[in-house]
Amino acid sequence: MKPATQPLKITLTFPDGAQREFPRDTTGLEIAKGISPSLAKRTVAMALDGALVDLNDPITEDARIELISREDPRTLELIRHDCAHVLAEAVQTLWPGTQVTIGPVIENGFYYDFFRNEPFTPEDFDAIEKKMREIIARDRPFTKEVWDREKTKQVFRDKGEAFKVELVDAIPGDEPIKIYFQGDWFDLCRGPHMTSTGKIGGAFKLMKVAGAYWRGDSNNPMLTRIYGTAFAKQEELDTYLKQIEEAEKRDHRRLGRELDLFHFQEEGPGVVFWHPKGWTIFQQLISYMRRRLSSDYSEVNAPQILDKALWETSGHWDWYRENMFAAQSAGDEAEDKRWFALKPMNCPGHVQIFKHGLKSYRELPLRLAEFGVVHRYEPSGAMHGLMRVRGFTQDDAHIFCTESQLADECLKINELILSTYADFGFTGDLTVKLSTRPDKRVGTDEMWDHAERVMATVLQEIQSQGSNIKTAINPGEGAFYGPKFEYVLRDAIGRDWQCGTTQVDFNLPERFGAFYIDQDGSKKAPVMVHRAICGSMERFIGILIEHYAGNFPLWLAPMQAVVATITSEGDEYAKRVAAAARQAGLRVELDLRNEKINYKVREHSLAKIPALLVVGKKEAETHSVSVRRLGSDGQKVMPTTEALAALVDEATPPDVKRARAAAGA
RNA sequence: GCUGCCGUAGCUCAGUGGUAGAGCACUCCCUUGGUAAGGGAGAGGUCGACAGUUCAAUCCUGUCCGGCAGCACCA
């Protein structure tokens, strides 16, 4: 409640706890100057009760105040935002007539979207950056004015800035229209900004150009977006650029080729050719998941291709057709021209299995799992290595249960997902998002209300269980048949990937007339829960490749060790070592080539073979091997039996180790 | 799908309006060498596909296919 008359004095609390009174409407700059001129010079913004605002803003009420220097981590956002404005001014100076739109700060920098008939190219960057440095060197103050809404629109209309006019219209009526000047150039902006363009400094760089739809809608015109980044210090920019290089080195498409895991070719856009080594990883992953499922789930396999009629019943033909592959007999004479569709999802197949034979309430929850290969016609621009393909394998399952079992099943799945991610070393932050009803959907509002209510309760429960779990709501992002949880994991270099999902479905069983006989002898439609842990095995392997940078833990490594000889004198012994290793269950290769050991070490190191077992005359005589581990410089001579036992232990999958420990305890 | 860029040997890339080169990888020969590249020779390409311009196209133009970066979409 504000008092009827504004007080003339306000009390500000400084970070050290000191409190001082100032006349109302004193600006941050005046306060800084009052403390010391050098402080005023160093200060680029202030925070009132923790919120960053312009240093020149008059302070109207009591607050905690912090004077923010350029070195404060919170300033980074301002540097980038200021830099975006300078970019826009530079572009409009160099190419008059270019329309400006928006220029926000993003995770690693900023961008600005422009409208211009001629798109920009990276060759323009030098000229733009040069102009930006001029503007920064001019060091004009950022000043803010609050304009009348109609006047603002008129000014932008007169300047030919149609997009800005639209932006003004989008600002809620009760919000002020703020205009920031930097010299003569000005932009509509929420702020805040630093005190002048000179504070931006020189540690910025334009990164790339790309197209982007106006307001993120593919029905709107496409703008040209220029991405840039900026830091407080040059060293930080250099570090960032180096990080990008490192990330490129672990790109799964590059490592997939270098490590000979898989390939793509023109005839099969978005479908993977798995090579022996890549397929070994794939199989290890599937074996792992099978072990994790064995106690609760029954594995099934449903057909790859089914009559269109079935997809009409399921609703896919209506709601998902543009993503589906359809097929007919290719023979001209065939009179039977039925349309079939490749399955884009496994659920309808599993419902058929559930429906086969009468089910009793005693059989619920019935959990059917399938490593199901599905095909989806993804937009051409969406394809990205293993991360986004048109044919992929889901570690899919459908749980048929009663409504009262639903919440428990969701929590059980949650446990499985979290423990699986932990086994692969994804120990960073995890986000669980609840996606609610989309516009395009089947089922009644009552069904959706009910489903979303149950899910929201489960989400709360999940949240309360883990400290590194964040939760969020994605309104309108659900599947067309029901709301879903999406599990987003964070990899070794901080990137987020959506993998697991739990989707509640009150529609499909009913559509197919699936039911079970309840305790009272009546027919009831089961609730169906769709769920995947890895999501797509292809994508998950892509994530693993980048997460491990190709250095797989021994249990997943396609080739776990290579036995290499120094001279051909060691051949017989090397064969015995390799045979013993294989006998012990290790995936090993023998390298008897007439090459120098240096050459072999280099080659197998580049191939990221985890263990190199080198044998020469000495080892043969002492029944030992010289073990060189990937990533270490030296080597260690050990008795062969001991070396193999250690490798076998290390190669034991984490879940198997856990099971053994539990059995032993 | 949209905007921009790209497509030459398995990979990384040179190059030219008169039908092609390098390094690595591959094959063979010499070398038997203790922990990140020993030497030599050879083989390998209708220069993404199809049209057009031209006496002549890998090179210029167009269409298509595929890829890359974003956007949109999504496991």
PDB file of all heavy atoms in Angstrom, chain A residues 213 388-389 566 594 602 619 626 628, chain B residues 1 31-35 37 73 75:
ATOM      1  N   TYR A 213      12.512 -16.584 -38.612  1.00  0.00           N
ATOM      2  CA  TYR A 213      11.189 -16.036 -38.895  1.00  0.00           C
ATOM      3  C   TYR A 213      10.870 -14.894 -37.943  1.00  0.00           C
ATOM      4  O   TYR A 213      11.212 -14.946 -36.763  1.00  0.00           O
ATOM      5  CB  TYR A 213      10.110 -17.118 -38.731  1.00  0.00           C
ATOM      6  CG  TYR A 213      10.221 -18.242 -39.708  1.00  0.00           C
ATOM      7  CD1 TYR A 213      10.641 -19.499 -39.307  1.00  0.00           C
ATOM      8  CD2 TYR A 213       9.918 -18.035 -41.048  1.00  0.00           C
ATOM      9  CE1 TYR A 213      10.753 -20.532 -40.214  1.00  0.00           C
ATOM     10  CE2 TYR A 213      10.029 -19.065 -41.961  1.00  0.00           C
ATOM     11  CZ  TYR A 213      10.443 -20.318 -41.540  1.00  0.00           C
ATOM     12  OH  TYR A 213      10.559 -21.326 -42.443  1.00  0.00           O
ATOM     13  N   ARG A 388      18.819 -36.371 -35.090  1.00  0.00           N
ATOM     14  CA  ARG A 388      17.496 -36.221 -35.681  1.00  0.00           C
ATOM     15  C   ARG A 388      17.528 -36.986 -36.989  1.00  0.00           C
ATOM     16  O   ARG A 388      18.174 -36.562 -37.941  1.00  0.00           O
ATOM     17  CB  ARG A 388      17.272 -34.735 -35.902  1.00  0.00           C
ATOM     18  CG  ARG A 388      15.871 -34.257 -35.999  1.00  0.00           C
ATOM     19  CD  ARG A 388      15.013 -34.491 -34.805  1.00  0.00           C
ATOM     20  NE  ARG A 388      13.639 -34.230 -35.234  1.00  0.00           N
ATOM     21  CZ  ARG A 388      13.140 -33.010 -35.349  1.00  0.00           C
ATOM     22  NH1 ARG A 388      13.835 -31.973 -34.967  1.00  0.00           N
ATOM     23  NH2 ARG A 388      11.928 -32.837 -35.818  1.00  0.00           N
ATOM     24  N   VAL A 389      16.876 -38.147 -37.017  1.00  0.00           N
ATOM     25  CA  VAL A 389      16.897 -39.013 -38.194  1.00  0.00           C
ATOM     26  C   VAL A 389      15.474 -39.372 -38.589  1.00  0.00           C
ATOM     27  O   VAL A 389      14.516 -39.053 -37.877  1.00  0.00           O
ATOM     28  CB  VAL A 389      17.711 -40.295 -37.923  1.00  0.00           C
ATOM     29  CG1 VAL A 389      19.182 -39.995 -37.852  1.00  0.00           C
ATOM     30  CG2 VAL A 389      17.240 -40.977 -36.647  1.00  0.00           C
ATOM     31  N   ILE A 566      55.571 -56.090 -30.980  1.00  0.00           N
ATOM     32  CA  ILE A 566      56.680 -55.202 -31.319  1.00  0.00           C
ATOM     33  C   ILE A 566      57.429 -55.751 -32.523  1.00  0.00           C
ATOM     34  O   ILE A 566      57.724 -55.033 -33.467  1.00  0.00           O
ATOM     35  CB  ILE A 566      57.617 -55.026 -30.109  1.00  0.00           C
ATOM     36  CG1 ILE A 566      56.887 -54.196 -29.060  1.00  0.00           C
ATOM     37  CG2 ILE A 566      58.910 -54.329 -30.516  1.00  0.00           C
ATOM     38  CD1 ILE A 566      57.521 -54.194 -27.722  1.00  0.00           C
ATOM     39  N   ASN A 594      53.416 -55.691 -39.668  1.00  0.00           N
ATOM     40  CA  ASN A 594      54.842 -55.383 -39.712  1.00  0.00           C
ATOM     41  C   ASN A 594      55.002 -53.863 -39.701  1.00  0.00           C
ATOM     42  O   ASN A 594      55.300 -53.241 -40.711  1.00  0.00           O
ATOM     43  CB  ASN A 594      55.447 -56.003 -40.982  1.00  0.00           C
ATOM     44  CG  ASN A 594      56.911 -55.658 -41.133  1.00  0.00           C
ATOM     45  OD1 ASN A 594      57.533 -55.134 -40.200  1.00  0.00           O
ATOM     46  ND2 ASN A 594      57.460 -55.923 -42.297  1.00  0.00           N
ATOM     47  N   ARG A 602      50.281 -44.929 -32.049  1.00  0.00           N
ATOM     48  CA  ARG A 602      49.621 -43.723 -32.556  1.00  0.00           C
ATOM     49  C   ARG A 602      48.259 -44.058 -33.162  1.00  0.00           C
ATOM     50  O   ARG A 602      47.250 -43.429 -32.868  1.00  0.00           O
ATOM     51  CB  ARG A 602      50.504 -43.060 -33.615  1.00  0.00           C
ATOM     52  CG  ARG A 602      49.851 -41.864 -34.249  1.00  0.00           C
ATOM     53  CD  ARG A 602      50.768 -41.213 -35.276  1.00  0.00           C
ATOM     54  NE  ARG A 602      50.001 -40.451 -36.248  1.00  0.00           N
ATOM     55  CZ  ARG A 602      49.517 -39.237 -36.047  1.00  0.00           C
ATOM     56  NH1 ARG A 602      49.755 -38.646 -34.890  1.00  0.00           N
ATOM     57  NH2 ARG A 602      48.822 -38.616 -36.957  1.00  0.00           N
ATOM     58  N   GLU A 619      57.865 -59.813 -22.630  1.00  0.00           N
ATOM     59  CA  GLU A 619      56.554 -60.190 -22.100  1.00  0.00           C
ATOM     60  C   GLU A 619      56.283 -61.673 -22.339  1.00  0.00           C
ATOM     61  O   GLU A 619      55.699 -62.342 -21.481  1.00  0.00           O
ATOM     62  CB  GLU A 619      55.448 -59.328 -22.726  1.00  0.00           C
ATOM     63  CG  GLU A 619      55.409 -57.895 -22.242  1.00  0.00           C
ATOM     64  CD  GLU A 619      56.488 -57.020 -22.880  1.00  0.00           C
ATOM     65  OE1 GLU A 619      57.149 -57.487 -23.831  1.00  0.00           O
ATOM     66  OE2 GLU A 619      56.675 -55.884 -22.425  1.00  0.00           O
ATOM     67  N   SER A 626      52.438 -55.405 -21.562  1.00  0.00           N
ATOM     68  CA  SER A 626      52.708 -54.008 -21.250  1.00  0.00           C
ATOM     69  C   SER A 626      51.431 -53.236 -21.562  1.00  0.00           C
ATOM     70  O   SER A 626      51.026 -53.118 -22.710  1.00  0.00           O
ATOM     71  CB  SER A 626      53.874 -53.518 -22.102  1.00  0.00           C
ATOM     72  OG  SER A 626      53.972 -52.130 -22.016  1.00  0.00           O
ATOM     73  N   ARG A 628      49.071 -50.110 -21.906  1.00  0.00           N
ATOM     74  CA  ARG A 628      49.050 -48.658 -22.095  1.00  0.00           C
ATOM     75  C   ARG A 628      47.602 -48.225 -22.190  1.00  0.00           C
ATOM     76  O   ARG A 628      46.865 -48.632 -23.076  1.00  0.00           O
ATOM     77  CB  ARG A 628      49.798 -48.291 -23.376  1.00  0.00           C
ATOM     78  CG  ARG A 628      49.899 -46.812 -23.585  1.00  0.00           C
ATOM     79  CD  ARG A 628      50.404 -46.494 -24.974  1.00  0.00           C
ATOM     80  NE  ARG A 628      50.376 -45.059 -25.187  1.00  0.00           N
ATOM     81  CZ  ARG A 628      51.427 -44.254 -25.026  1.00  0.00           C
ATOM     82  NH1 ARG A 628      52.587 -44.749 -24.700  1.00  0.00           N
ATOM     83  NH2 ARG A 628      51.310 -42.960 -25.221  1.00  0.00           N
TER      84      ARG A 628
ATOM     85  P     G B   1      12.111 -29.984 -48.565  1.00  0.00           P
ATOM     86  OP1   G B   1      11.329 -30.263 -49.747  1.00  0.00           O
ATOM     87  OP2   G B   1      12.390 -31.114 -47.688  1.00  0.00           O
ATOM     88  O5'   G B   1      11.302 -28.904 -47.741  1.00  0.00           O
ATOM     89  C5'   G B   1       9.991 -28.605 -48.130  1.00  0.00           C
ATOM     90  C4'   G B   1       9.494 -27.482 -47.279  1.00  0.00           C
ATOM     91  O4'   G B   1       9.514 -27.893 -45.890  1.00  0.00           O
ATOM     92  C3'   G B   1      10.356 -26.230 -47.298  1.00  0.00           C
ATOM     93  O3'   G B   1      10.041 -25.423 -48.404  1.00  0.00           O
ATOM     94  C2'   G B   1       9.958 -25.561 -45.988  1.00  0.00           C
ATOM     95  O2'   G B   1       8.714 -24.918 -46.099  1.00  0.00           O
ATOM     96  C1'   G B   1       9.811 -26.773 -45.059  1.00  0.00           C
ATOM     97  N9    G B   1      11.019 -27.066 -44.289  1.00  0.00           N
ATOM     98  C8    G B   1      11.799 -28.187 -44.393  1.00  0.00           C
ATOM     99  N7    G B   1      12.811 -28.183 -43.565  1.00  0.00           N
ATOM    100  C5    G B   1      12.686 -26.980 -42.876  1.00  0.00           C
ATOM    101  C6    G B   1      13.496 -26.429 -41.845  1.00  0.00           C
ATOM    102  O6    G B   1      14.513 -26.900 -41.334  1.00  0.00           O
ATOM    103  N1    G B   1      13.021 -25.190 -41.439  1.00  0.00           N
ATOM    104  C2    G B   1      11.900 -24.569 -41.947  1.00  0.00           C
ATOM    105  N2    G B   1      11.604 -23.388 -41.422  1.00  0.00           N
ATOM    106  N3    G B   1      11.140 -25.079 -42.904  1.00  0.00           N
ATOM    107  C4    G B   1      11.582 -26.278 -43.317  1.00  0.00           C
ATOM    108  P     U B  31      64.364 -56.534 -46.060  1.00  0.00           P
ATOM    109  OP1   U B  31      65.770 -56.960 -45.880  1.00  0.00           O
ATOM    110  OP2   U B  31      63.281 -57.529 -45.954  1.00  0.00           O
ATOM    111  O5'   U B  31      64.061 -55.353 -45.029  1.00  0.00           O
ATOM    112  C5'   U B  31      65.100 -54.438 -44.650  1.00  0.00           C
ATOM    113  C4'   U B  31      64.533 -53.428 -43.672  1.00  0.00           C
ATOM    114  O4'   U B  31      63.353 -52.809 -44.247  1.00  0.00           O
ATOM    115  C3'   U B  31      64.041 -53.994 -42.344  1.00  0.00           C
ATOM    116  O3'   U B  31      65.093 -54.218 -41.419  1.00  0.00           O
ATOM    117  C2'   U B  31      63.092 -52.892 -41.885  1.00  0.00           C
ATOM    118  O2'   U B  31      63.808 -51.791 -41.387  1.00  0.00           O
ATOM    119  C1'   U B  31      62.425 -52.500 -43.215  1.00  0.00           C
ATOM    120  N1    U B  31      61.189 -53.281 -43.425  1.00  0.00           N
ATOM    121  C2    U B  31      60.042 -52.830 -42.812  1.00  0.00           C
ATOM    122  O2    U B  31      60.012 -51.819 -42.126  1.00  0.00           O
ATOM    123  N3    U B  31      58.929 -53.612 -43.012  1.00  0.00           N
ATOM    124  C4    U B  31      58.856 -54.767 -43.752  1.00  0.00           C
ATOM    125  O4    U B  31      57.788 -55.369 -43.839  1.00  0.00           O
ATOM    126  C5    U B  31      60.085 -55.171 -44.358  1.00  0.00           C
ATOM    127  C6    U B  31      61.192 -54.432 -44.180  1.00  0.00           C
ATOM    128  P     U B  32      65.081 -55.569 -40.573  1.00  0.00           P
ATOM    129  OP1   U B  32      66.378 -55.597 -39.836  1.00  0.00           O
ATOM    130  OP2   U B  32      64.699 -56.676 -41.474  1.00  0.00           O
ATOM    131  O5'   U B  32      63.894 -55.407 -39.515  1.00  0.00           O
ATOM    132  C5'   U B  32      63.975 -54.493 -38.443  1.00  0.00           C
ATOM    133  C4'   U B  32      63.317 -55.103 -37.221  1.00  0.00           C
ATOM    134  O4'   U B  32      61.971 -55.527 -37.608  1.00  0.00           O
ATOM    135  C3'   U B  32      64.026 -56.349 -36.671  1.00  0.00           C
ATOM    136  O3'   U B  32      64.004 -56.358 -35.260  1.00  0.00           O
ATOM    137  C2'   U B  32      63.165 -57.496 -37.173  1.00  0.00           C
ATOM    138  O2'   U B  32      63.148 -58.604 -36.289  1.00  0.00           O
ATOM    139  C1'   U B  32      61.776 -56.866 -37.190  1.00  0.00           C
ATOM    140  N1    U B  32      60.853 -57.525 -38.127  1.00  0.00           N
ATOM    141  C2    U B  32      59.775 -58.214 -37.598  1.00  0.00           C
ATOM    142  O2    U B  32      59.563 -58.262 -36.407  1.00  0.00           O
ATOM    143  N3    U B  32      58.989 -58.841 -38.511  1.00  0.00           N
ATOM    144  C4    U B  32      59.137 -58.858 -39.860  1.00  0.00           C
ATOM    145  O4    U B  32      58.341 -59.474 -40.555  1.00  0.00           O
ATOM    146  C5    U B  32      60.279 -58.123 -40.360  1.00  0.00           C
ATOM    147  C6    U B  32      61.082 -57.498 -39.483  1.00  0.00           C
ATOM    148  P     G B  33      64.965 -55.415 -34.454  1.00  0.00           P
ATOM    149  OP1   G B  33      66.216 -55.207 -35.215  1.00  0.00           O
ATOM    150  OP2   G B  33      65.006 -55.994 -33.108  1.00  0.00           O
ATOM    151  O5'   G B  33      64.189 -54.035 -34.342  1.00  0.00           O
ATOM    152  C5'   G B  33      64.948 -52.819 -34.301  1.00  0.00           C
ATOM    153  C4'   G B  33      64.002 -51.658 -34.420  1.00  0.00           C
ATOM    154  O4'   G B  33      63.143 -51.869 -35.545  1.00  0.00           O
ATOM    155  C3'   G B  33      63.070 -51.487 -33.235  1.00  0.00           C
ATOM    156  O3'   G B  33      63.675 -50.690 -32.250  1.00  0.00           O
ATOM    157  C2'   G B  33      61.868 -50.798 -33.851  1.00  0.00           C
ATOM    158  O2'   G B  33      62.090 -49.423 -33.991  1.00  0.00           O
ATOM    159  C1'   G B  33      61.825 -51.433 -35.244  1.00  0.00           C
ATOM    160  N9    G B  33      60.920 -52.581 -35.312  1.00  0.00           N
ATOM    161  C8    G B  33      60.589 -53.476 -34.340  1.00  0.00           C
ATOM    162  N7    G B  33      59.768 -54.402 -34.760  1.00  0.00           N
ATOM    163  C5    G B  33      59.549 -54.093 -36.089  1.00  0.00           C
ATOM    164  C6    G B  33      58.754 -54.728 -37.054  1.00  0.00           C
ATOM    165  O6    G B  33      58.042 -55.739 -36.942  1.00  0.00           O
ATOM    166  N1    G B  33      58.820 -54.100 -38.287  1.00  0.00           N
ATOM    167  C2    G B  33      59.570 -52.994 -38.537  1.00  0.00           C
ATOM    168  N2    G B  33      59.504 -52.539 -39.777  1.00  0.00           N
ATOM    169  N3    G B  33      60.319 -52.381 -37.648  1.00  0.00           N
ATOM    170  C4    G B  33      60.257 -52.978 -36.450  1.00  0.00           C
ATOM    171  P     G B  34      63.634 -51.170 -30.908  1.00  0.00           P
ATOM    172  OP1   G B  34      64.867 -50.803 -30.198  1.00  0.00           O
ATOM    173  OP2   G B  34      63.092 -52.547 -30.803  1.00  0.00           O
ATOM    174  O5'   G B  34      62.510 -50.199 -30.446  1.00  0.00           O
ATOM    175  C5'   G B  34      62.245 -50.367 -29.145  1.00  0.00           C
ATOM    176  C4'   G B  34      60.914 -49.853 -28.866  1.00  0.00           C
ATOM    177  O4'   G B  34      60.097 -50.985 -28.584  1.00  0.00           O
ATOM    178  C3'   G B  34      61.052 -49.059 -27.590  1.00  0.00           C
ATOM    179  O3'   G B  34      59.967 -48.203 -27.415  1.00  0.00           O
ATOM    180  C2'   G B  34      61.111 -50.232 -26.575  1.00  0.00           C
ATOM    181  O2'   G B  34      60.681 -49.901 -25.324  1.00  0.00           O
ATOM    182  C1'   G B  34      60.104 -51.225 -27.213  1.00  0.00           C
ATOM    183  N9    G B  34      60.496 -52.629 -26.960  1.00  0.00           N
ATOM    184  C8    G B  34      61.543 -53.331 -27.458  1.00  0.00           C
ATOM    185  N7    G B  34      61.588 -54.565 -27.031  1.00  0.00           N
ATOM    186  C5    G B  34      60.491 -54.670 -26.190  1.00  0.00           C
ATOM    187  C6    G B  34      60.024 -55.760 -25.429  1.00  0.00           C
ATOM    188  O6    G B  34      60.493 -56.885 -25.366  1.00  0.00           O
ATOM    189  N1    G B  34      58.882 -55.429 -24.711  1.00  0.00           N
ATOM    190  C2    G B  34      58.285 -54.191 -24.720  1.00  0.00           C
ATOM    191  N2    G B  34      57.201 -54.059 -23.969  1.00  0.00           N
ATOM    192  N3    G B  34      58.706 -53.160 -25.437  1.00  0.00           N
ATOM    193  C4    G B  34      59.811 -53.478 -26.131  1.00  0.00           C
ATOM    194  P     U B  35      60.067 -46.888 -26.459  1.00  0.00           P
ATOM    195  OP1   U B  35      61.137 -46.091 -27.070  1.00  0.00           O
ATOM    196  OP2   U B  35      60.090 -47.243 -25.035  1.00  0.00           O
ATOM    197  O5'   U B  35      58.693 -46.150 -26.745  1.00  0.00           O
ATOM    198  C5'   U B  35      58.263 -45.971 -28.104  1.00  0.00           C
ATOM    199  C4'   U B  35      56.765 -45.839 -28.106  1.00  0.00           C
ATOM    200  O4'   U B  35      56.186 -47.137 -27.815  1.00  0.00           O
ATOM    201  C3'   U B  35      56.251 -44.880 -27.028  1.00  0.00           C
ATOM    202  O3'   U B  35      55.129 -44.208 -27.557  1.00  0.00           O
ATOM    203  C2'   U B  35      55.793 -45.820 -25.918  1.00  0.00           C
ATOM    204  O2'   U B  35      54.753 -45.287 -25.142  1.00  0.00           O
ATOM    205  C1'   U B  35      55.285 -47.001 -26.737  1.00  0.00           C
ATOM    206  N1    U B  35      55.274 -48.278 -26.013  1.00  0.00           N
ATOM    207  C2    U B  35      54.035 -48.742 -25.590  1.00  0.00           C
ATOM    208  O2    U B  35      53.012 -48.124 -25.801  1.00  0.00           O
ATOM    209  N3    U B  35      54.066 -49.940 -24.932  1.00  0.00           N
ATOM    210  C4    U B  35      55.160 -50.703 -24.665  1.00  0.00           C
ATOM    211  O4    U B  35      55.020 -51.761 -24.073  1.00  0.00           O
ATOM    212  C5    U B  35      56.407 -50.162 -25.137  1.00  0.00           C
ATOM    213  C6    U B  35      56.414 -48.994 -25.766  1.00  0.00           C
ATOM    214  P     A B  37      55.286 -40.261 -33.745  1.00  0.00           P
ATOM    215  OP1   A B  37      56.495 -40.402 -32.929  1.00  0.00           O
ATOM    216  OP2   A B  37      54.954 -38.977 -34.332  1.00  0.00           O
ATOM    217  O5'   A B  37      55.347 -41.361 -34.892  1.00  0.00           O
ATOM    218  C5'   A B  37      54.233 -42.183 -35.191  1.00  0.00           C
ATOM    219  C4'   A B  37      54.337 -42.671 -36.619  1.00  0.00           C
ATOM    220  O4'   A B  37      53.224 -42.127 -37.360  1.00  0.00           O
ATOM    221  C3'   A B  37      55.575 -42.202 -37.392  1.00  0.00           C
ATOM    222  O3'   A B  37      55.745 -43.074 -38.510  1.00  0.00           O
ATOM    223  C2'   A B  37      55.135 -40.840 -37.898  1.00  0.00           C
ATOM    224  O2'   A B  37      55.813 -40.428 -39.058  1.00  0.00           O
ATOM    225  C1'   A B  37      53.692 -41.153 -38.269  1.00  0.00           C
ATOM    226  N9    A B  37      52.787 -40.016 -38.174  1.00  0.00           N
ATOM    227  C8    A B  37      52.831 -38.932 -37.343  1.00  0.00           C
ATOM    228  N7    A B  37      51.835 -38.095 -37.525  1.00  0.00           N
ATOM    229  C5    A B  37      51.106 -38.684 -38.548  1.00  0.00           C
ATOM    230  C6    A B  37      49.943 -38.309 -39.215  1.00  0.00           C
ATOM    231  N6    A B  37      49.282 -37.204 -38.933  1.00  0.00           N
ATOM    232  N1    A B  37      49.486 -39.110 -40.181  1.00  0.00           N
ATOM    233  C2    A B  37      50.160 -40.222 -40.458  1.00  0.00           C
ATOM    234  N3    A B  37      51.268 -40.704 -39.910  1.00  0.00           N
ATOM    235  C4    A B  37      51.689 -39.862 -38.952  1.00  0.00           C
ATOM    236  P     C B  73       7.881 -24.211 -33.725  1.00  0.00           P
ATOM    237  OP1   C B  73       6.535 -23.971 -33.209  1.00  0.00           O
ATOM    238  OP2   C B  73       9.050 -24.020 -32.848  1.00  0.00           O
ATOM    239  O5'   C B  73       7.951 -25.688 -34.328  1.00  0.00           O
ATOM    240  C5'   C B  73       6.890 -26.209 -35.118  1.00  0.00           C
ATOM    241  C4'   C B  73       7.286 -27.531 -35.715  1.00  0.00           C
ATOM    242  O4'   C B  73       8.566 -27.396 -36.390  1.00  0.00           O
ATOM    243  C3'   C B  73       7.552 -28.673 -34.736  1.00  0.00           C
ATOM    244  O3'   C B  73       6.366 -29.265 -34.235  1.00  0.00           O
ATOM    245  C2'   C B  73       8.346 -29.623 -35.609  1.00  0.00           C
ATOM    246  O2'   C B  73       7.517 -30.259 -36.549  1.00  0.00           O
ATOM    247  C1'   C B  73       9.259 -28.629 -36.333  1.00  0.00           C
ATOM    248  N1    C B  73      10.525 -28.459 -35.580  1.00  0.00           N
ATOM    249  C2    C B  73      11.490 -29.461 -35.701  1.00  0.00           C
ATOM    250  O2    C B  73      11.246 -30.429 -36.434  1.00  0.00           O
ATOM    251  N3    C B  73      12.648 -29.350 -35.022  1.00  0.00           N
ATOM    252  C4    C B  73      12.862 -28.304 -34.238  1.00  0.00           C
ATOM    253  N4    C B  73      14.015 -28.245 -33.593  1.00  0.00           N
ATOM    254  C5    C B  73      11.897 -27.266 -34.078  1.00  0.00           C
ATOM    255  C6    C B  73      10.745 -27.383 -34.764  1.00  0.00           C
ATOM    256  P     A B  75       8.583 -35.477 -29.677  1.00  0.00           P
ATOM    257  OP1   A B  75       7.345 -36.203 -29.378  1.00  0.00           O
ATOM    258  OP2   A B  75       8.937 -34.281 -28.911  1.00  0.00           O
ATOM    259  O5'   A B  75       9.797 -36.491 -29.555  1.00  0.00           O
ATOM    260  C5'   A B  75       9.863 -37.341 -28.420  1.00  0.00           C
ATOM    261  C4'   A B  75      11.231 -37.981 -28.394  1.00  0.00           C
ATOM    262  O4'   A B  75      11.382 -38.865 -29.528  1.00  0.00           O
ATOM    263  C3'   A B  75      12.372 -36.983 -28.528  1.00  0.00           C
ATOM    264  O3'   A B  75      12.735 -36.437 -27.280  1.00  0.00           O
ATOM    265  C2'   A B  75      13.481 -37.815 -29.152  1.00  0.00           C
ATOM    266  O2'   A B  75      14.175 -38.509 -28.173  1.00  0.00           O
ATOM    267  C1'   A B  75      12.702 -38.796 -30.024  1.00  0.00           C
ATOM    268  N9    A B  75      12.676 -38.351 -31.412  1.00  0.00           N
ATOM    269  C8    A B  75      11.765 -37.528 -32.017  1.00  0.00           C
ATOM    270  N7    A B  75      12.007 -37.317 -33.287  1.00  0.00           N
ATOM    271  C5    A B  75      13.152 -38.057 -33.535  1.00  0.00           C
ATOM    272  C6    A B  75      13.920 -38.258 -34.689  1.00  0.00           C
ATOM    273  N6    A B  75      13.622 -37.687 -35.869  1.00  0.00           N
ATOM    274  N1    A B  75      15.010 -39.050 -34.604  1.00  0.00           N
ATOM    275  C2    A B  75      15.300 -39.598 -33.423  1.00  0.00           C
ATOM    276  N3    A B  75      14.662 -39.494 -32.261  1.00  0.00           N
ATOM    277  C4    A B  75      13.572 -38.698 -32.385  1.00  0.00           C
TER     278        A B  75
END
